[in-house]
Amino acid sequence: MKPIPPERYIDGVRQGDRRMIGKAITLLESRAARDRGLAQQVLDALTPHAGRGLRIAISGPPGVGKSTFVEVFGHHAIEQGHRVGVLAIDPSSRLSGGSILGDKLRMPRLSSHDDAFIRPSPAGEDLGGVARRTREAIVVLEAAGFDRILVETVGVGQSETVAAGMTDLFILLALPNAGDEIQGIKRGTMEFVHLLVVNKADGDQQQAAQQAAHTLEQALHLMHPPEPDWSVPVLTASAREDLGLEKIWQAVERFHGMMQASGRMAARRREQSLAWMWALVREGLEQRLREHPAVNLEQGLLERAVKAGRTAPAEAAERLLMLFSRPL
Amino acid sequence: MKPIPPERYIDGVRQGDRRMIGKAITLLESRAARDRGLAQQVLDALTPHAGRGLRIAISGPPGVGKSTFVEVFGHHAIEQGHRVGVLAIDPSSRLSGGSILGDKLRMPRLSSHDDAFIRPSPAGEDLGGVARRTREAIVVLEAAGFDRILVETVGVGQSETVAAGMTDLFILLALPNAGDEIQGIKRGTMEFVHLLVVNKADGDQQQAAQQAAHTLEQALHLMHPPEPDWSVPVLTASAREDLGLEKIWQAVERFHGMMQASGRMAARRREQSLAWMWALVREGLEQRLREHPAVNLEQGLLERAVKAGRTAPAEAAERLLMLFSRPL
């Protein structure tokens, strides 16, 4: 098969050709050595055309109705004249292999809409790999003119940290449980949240949702705000019945405006880029160390000795570093 | 001056000789190259005698009364037959230089007690250095027979993460503010907390303290517990009036018992040792990279290009790794 030249990817994406957008993301996801040069070329050409969108992370516990929320939330953005890209960070898709069909089933309206592009989580990769591919997919979608990027995450392991590190705003969905029941919010998640939404506020759950919102509001009052000029709104909504989505978008745009006016938006992105560079450097360094033959040989032994308390962690660390710096 | 032989340090510490305990910690804190061999010898000899104590992190916002709390809390442990070591992780002491006199003033009873040993935060170091010295000071104090180690932290920057990474249990102190006032709990701190104490519950603040405890309890109910069999207790106390400290120790010992019986205590320490080893490896790797002449030369340029969006983070990271792996 003749390889597709870089211009075809670049022009296709820039013209919003859905097939080429999909192919470009697949190219960037490829880990095959023969694709890396072409992938880098395409990414470099698209990068200057990216960055103008608003990137929104959406998380929440299982059963909170994330898919329906993303579907209806995305549709509202389209009605406002935006074009919506949907990406997912889902470490559990490593097991299931991910599935486009799954996304078509879970988001029927959005997946068939011309102004939306849904891309499932790259499967079979570690979180570092997923983070890299998702960042690059954001570039492709923004270069293709999608200006509201929704990054859905299941909240397993470090996936929320990864999502927060590549988005401008973090929405946490909660369930309309009454005060004393456990919401199941992961400790540490609150660190990222800019906007809290109690979903499923419909039918006989409306009062419970109000109560949950009140309790969450109180909990948030105990904590430092994520940005100096922003107190985290707690809103109720029902994605299923399409209630309250307007207000959420208003809050999102208010946050967007505040972050842009204060210069925090640009600063946050600069910090994210720099943090990402150093994360990749650290990942690369550790990978090189772990792949070093002498380290490889002794690592298990040292880890067991440290766990058993026979060797001090500092001593083992120095030994590993020493082994690594020895010439092969 | 003739150097002190390692046996004098080791025997002195094991016999609980306060002067030698202090000297041993100073030796381990020393970054002088000529001390490192001796320091390692002393640390290796003491390590098998450490590990039997309970290590408790204590944090809280400024003005919460941490010093008084540690003083009275420590005194209660002594009355129960324990011996108490007090360490501090305080990145701000880099500026002040730390001060023993300061500790004598802030903890007059504990600092003069035979069954207590107070050691201020090592000054003039980065957090990685402080973490290393504090971990080693824990070994010295436990080898000297101190079995309740209190690690006080100011909660600035990453100091809570560092304290949580070397202790068995994390106590967060809060102020008796009513529901709607901001407690100022740092986002992310809740991740570590095993026990929450509303301090200064005395005089006309008692009702406000109860209210604050109730609100904090509700906030905690929304979050996953830190250990499967442990729901975080929220207690009220007044360290100044010595009220409620008994109950806190009971909760601490209950946690200690649960963690030991379930095997989670040993598992947590094994995980901590391993995580610490890898943290030191990563720190060492990054330091070597940053000190590499070719990296050093280009790093600023690349960082600026990434921040300005001219260079993709992945590209800059690969360039830095390439420069690092080049032979000198």
Side-chain angles (χ1 to χ4, degrees), chain B residues 5 7 9 18 36 40 90 122 175 256 302 319 325:
Chain B
E7 302 76 42
Y9 283 108
R18 300 181 76 85
R36 286 322 291 164
Q40 196 59 56
D90 179 5
L175 284 162
H256 191 190
L302 282 167
R319 171 93 189 138
S325 59

Side-chain angles (χ1 to χ4, degrees), chain A residues 44 182-185 187 190 193 216 218 221-224 270 276 278 282 286 303 307 313 315, chain B residues 44 182-185 187 190 193 216 221-224 232 270 276 278 282 286 303 307 313 315:
Chain A
D44 285 347
I182 284 179
Q183 273 283 350
I185 294 172
R187 282 159 183 254
M190 281 295 185
V193 176
L216 287 164
Q218 280 193 305
H221 268 294
L222 304 170
M223 296 182 188
H224 274 299
R270 280 197 302 272
W276 178 237
W278 281 109
R282 283 184 205 107
E286 190 172 331
E303 286 190 329
K307 279 169 89 169
E315 206 184 331
Chain B
D44 285 348
I182 284 178
Q183 272 283 349
I185 295 173
R187 282 159 183 253
M190 281 295 185
V193 176
L216 287 165
H221 269 296
L222 303 171
M223 296 183 188
H224 273 300
V232 177
R270 280 197 301 272
W276 178 237
W278 281 109
R282 284 185 203 104
E286 191 173 332
E303 285 190 329
K307 280 168 89 169
E315 207 185 331

Side-chain angles (χ1 to χ4, degrees), chain B residues 5 23 45 50 60 65 90 94 110 138 163 170 204 209 228 269 272 289 324:
Chain B
K23 274 186 178 296
D90 179 5
R94 265 187 277 176
L110 221 48
I138 291 178
F170 196 105
D204 52 9
R269 287 195 177 176
Q272 285 177 337
L289 177 117
F324 177 61

Side-chain angles (χ1 to χ4, degrees), chain A residues 89-322:
Chain A
I89 293 179
D90 179 5
S92 62
S93 77
R94 265 187 277 177
L95 303 173
S96 66
S99 156
I100 297 249
L101 189 69
D103 285 310
K104 287 213 169 126
L105 283 175
R106 9 190 235 118
M107 299 177 194
R109 282 168 74 195
L110 221 48
S111 63
S112 62
H113 203 293
D114 275 350
D115 290 322
F117 196 99
I118 304 181
R119 181 81 183 188
S121 184
E125 286 207 81
D126 56 19
L127 203 57
V130 171
R132 185 195 290 257
R133 306 314 160 199
T134 309
R135 282 186 153 263
E136 293 175 355
I138 291 176
V139 171
V140 173
L141 291 180
E142 288 186 345
F146 294 94
D147 63 337
R148 291 292 177 270
I149 311 293
L150 310 182
V151 180
E152 188 188 347
T153 168
V154 289
V156 171
Q158 290 296 97
S159 60
E160 285 174 325
T161 311
V162 165
M166 60 177 71
T167 52
D168 306 310
L169 179 153
F170 196 106
I171 299 180
L172 181 68
L173 302 181
L175 283 162
N177 290 338
D180 269 352
E181 281 170 57
I182 284 179
Q183 273 283 350
I185 294 172
K186 226 175 81 191
R187 282 159 183 254
T189 297
M190 281 295 185
E191 193 170 346
F192 309 121
V193 176
H194 298 115
L195 184 54
L196 229 155
V197 176
V198 180
N199 193 26
K200 301 195 172 177
D202 48 41
D204 51 10
Q205 298 249 65
Q206 285 185 49
Q207 216 191 321
Q210 290 298 338
Q211 180 56 44
H214 180 70
T215 310
L216 287 164
E217 215 152 43
Q218 280 193 305
L220 283 167
H221 268 294
L222 304 170
M223 296 182 188
H224 274 299
E227 295 286 337
D229 296 324
W230 184 254
S231 86
V232 177
V234 183
L235 302 169
T236 59
S238 165
R240 204 184 52 186
E241 316 244 305
D242 199 347
L243 297 168
L245 276 290
E246 211 62 52
K247 271 199 180 147
I248 300 171
W249 269 115
Q250 281 163 15
V252 166
E253 299 298 349
R254 194 156 50 84
F255 181 82
H256 191 190
M258 182 276 290
M259 289 290 278
Q260 281 188 312
S262 65
R264 279 287 306 140
M265 175 100 166
R268 182 177 161 103
R269 288 196 176 175
R270 280 197 302 272
E271 286 157 20
Q272 285 177 336
S273 292
L274 212 57
W276 178 237
M277 179 191 85
W278 281 109
L280 290 174
V281 168
R282 283 184 205 107
E283 197 185 285
L285 282 173
E286 190 172 331
Q287 198 185 330
R288 276 151 208 242
L289 177 117
R290 284 180 188 267
E291 283 169 359
H292 190 285
V295 170
N296 211 289
L297 212 65
E298 263 192 53
Q299 181 185 324
L301 209 77
L302 282 167
E303 286 190 329
R304 279 193 297 280
V306 165
K307 279 169 89 169
R310 287 195 308 273
T311 303
E315 206 184 331
E318 267 175 41
R319 172 91 189 138
L320 286 172
L321 288 167
M322 197 268 285

